Amino acid sequence: MNQNRNVRKVESVMGRVEVIYRPISELKLDPKNPRLHSPRQIRQIARSIDAFGFNVPVLVDEDSNVIAGHGRIMACRQLGRNEVPTICLSHLSEAQLKAFMIADNRLNENSEWDEQPDCDL
């Protein structure tokens, strides 16, 4: 497990989720990540992070392998950022981590856009 001296922690009100800011250099991208990110998409993610902030932590395992957030990390590299917020999924087995990685990427493909949202987008 990472023993970084500069780790900043933020806990949720319920104490269940711990967000740890980790150096990007310590995170290991999975070369078998099921989602491919084009240079155009990475630029779009970078613009979004620049405009709105980094609002969705990267999910990692206990060895700092990235489970979800590959595109956000690549975008942060383009922006020259050195660290990102992470959540460690230490409660999942190796098989569950692999299954979650696929599910996380595929489940949003099953949703549809509301063509008339109630909010002003």
Side-chain angles (χ1 to χ4, degrees):
M1 182 115 180
N2 177 17
Q3 298 298 323
N4 182 4
R5 299 179 304 278
N6 299 318
V7 170
R8 295 188 318 239
K9 296 182 181 183
V10 179
E11 290 192 43
S12 72
V13 175
M14 299 297 290
R16 294 182 185 164
V17 173
E18 181 177 65
V19 176
I20 300 174
Y21 285 78
R22 299 179 197 272
I24 291 173
S25 61
E26 292 181 6
L27 301 178
K28 303 168 199 154
L29 296 178
D30 186 346
K32 296 179 182 178
N33 180 34
R35 182 70 87 182
L36 301 176
H37 300 282
S38 70
R40 179 175 183 255
Q41 185 195 25
I42 299 302
R43 287 190 304 273
Q44 291 172 330
I45 294 169
R47 284 194 299 268
S48 176
I49 290 170
D50 204 33
F52 306 115
F54 201 106
N55 297 317
V56 181
V58 172
L59 304 179
V60 299
D61 68 11
E62 290 182 319
D63 296 319
S64 297
N65 295 305
V66 175
I67 306 304
H70 292 77
R72 293 189 298 277
I73 290 172
M74 290 183 271
C76 282
R77 285 179 178 160
Q78 279 190 2
L79 293 169
R81 297 200 178 186
N82 297 321
E83 67 178 11
V84 293
T86 66
I87 295 173
C88 183
L89 302 179
S90 59
H91 65 286
L92 299 179
S93 70
E94 187 173 335
Q96 288 174 316
L97 287 169
K98 288 179 184 179
F100 177 81
M101 183 184 290
I102 293 167
D104 185 57
N105 283 294
R106 297 295 298 228
L107 289 175
N108 61 5
E109 294 175 0
N110 295 335
S111 65
E112 297 180 21
W113 287 100
D114 182 352
E115 297 299 328
Q116 297 183 4
D118 290 336
C119 62
D120 296 328
L121 294 179

